[in-house]
Amino acid sequence: MTAYDLTVDFMDMTNNRRLWTRTDDARPGLRPTVGAYLVVGCEDADPAVARVCLIDADGNIELEVLRGSVESHHDLLALA
């Protein structure tokens, strides 16, 4: 079991802190929605919080990764 909602590759993050993942990379039972804040991560890095910007018809998810720790965004995650 992972400590994050979506698996991402932080190496693919752009300068404006955006990256793409797929709905297939979501933890079991999670149905991401646009505007939601999720914990994202991978085996090689600390988790982060990201906002879902877009979900296309093919299941691609565009995320905006927020600066700071997961704990510093506890208030955003509590809205979920």
Side-chain angles (χ1 to χ4, degrees), residues 4 13 19 25 40 48 52-54 63:
Y4 33 83
M13 190 163 47
L19 58 81
D25 296 325
V40 299
V52 178
C53 300
L54 175 85
L63 301 169

Side-chain angles (χ1 to χ4, degrees), residues 18 20-21 34-35 51-56 60-63:
R18 302 276 177 132
W20 288 87
T21 191
V34 173
R51 181 177 61 86
V52 178
C53 300
L54 175 85
I55 303 173
D56 70 16
N60 298 307
I61 303 172
E62 182 183 21
L63 301 169

Side-chain angles (χ1 to χ4, degrees), residues 17 37-39 47-50 65-79:
R17 305 196 59 80
Y37 290 92
L38 304 172
V39 177
V49 173
V65 179
L66 306 181
R67 294 184 189 277
S69 67
V70 171
E71 293 79 20
S72 68
H73 296 293
H74 177 73
D75 56 328
L76 296 174
L77 296 170
L79 298 174

